[in-house]
Amino acid sequence: MAENFDGTEHPHAYPLLYTLANALAARGFTTSLGARAVAVTRKGDASLRTQTITCKPRPIDGDRLWFFDALGEPIAQADQVIDAAVIIAADLAPSDVTAGDDL
């Protein structure tokens, strides 16, 4: 992941990744923002499980920007930052949490 924007990324991706990183940080996650992705971990998670999120056009959606996980699976349209943050937070939830438990 490049540390600085080098012009090869979509020109609107970085601000959206920045907004997503802030939304996740406000929810107690540790984020590391690069030019092409944001790495997200849950504070205090002994497993150090990290989710790497990118932002790029999705051809089957008229090239609208979407957030994608490290496997290239779409998470949410990039203008839906809160939806994406909720989905990412759920993915990083401890595996021993059961339905009805408080996070």
Side-chain angles (χ1 to χ4, degrees):
M1 169 166 54
E3 290 301 316
N4 298 312
F5 183 79
D6 66 7
T8 62
E9 299 81 13
H10 189 283
H12 301 292
Y14 185 81
L16 292 164
L17 288 169
Y18 177 84
T19 303
L20 179 63
N22 283 337
L24 289 162
R27 287 168 175 71
F29 290 88
T30 300
T31 61
S32 175
L33 179 64
R36 294 186 178 106
V38 61
V40 184
T41 57
R42 181 177 289 280
K43 286 183 183 175
D45 184 359
S47 73
L48 299 176
R49 196 170 76 133
T50 301
Q51 180 70 274
T52 301
I53 310 301
T54 58
C55 182
K56 58 187 177 182
R58 187 174 185 200
I60 66 169
D61 191 25
D63 282 337
R64 289 182 185 92
L65 289 175
W66 276 65
F67 294 117
F68 291 85
D69 66 15
L71 298 175
E73 294 295 319
I75 297 170
Q77 192 168 322
D79 63 353
Q80 303 297 317
V81 173
I82 300 305
D83 292 347
V86 168
I87 293 166
I88 294 163
D91 184 59
L92 290 171
S95 59
D96 60 334
V97 173
T98 58
D101 285 350
D102 292 330
L103 293 177

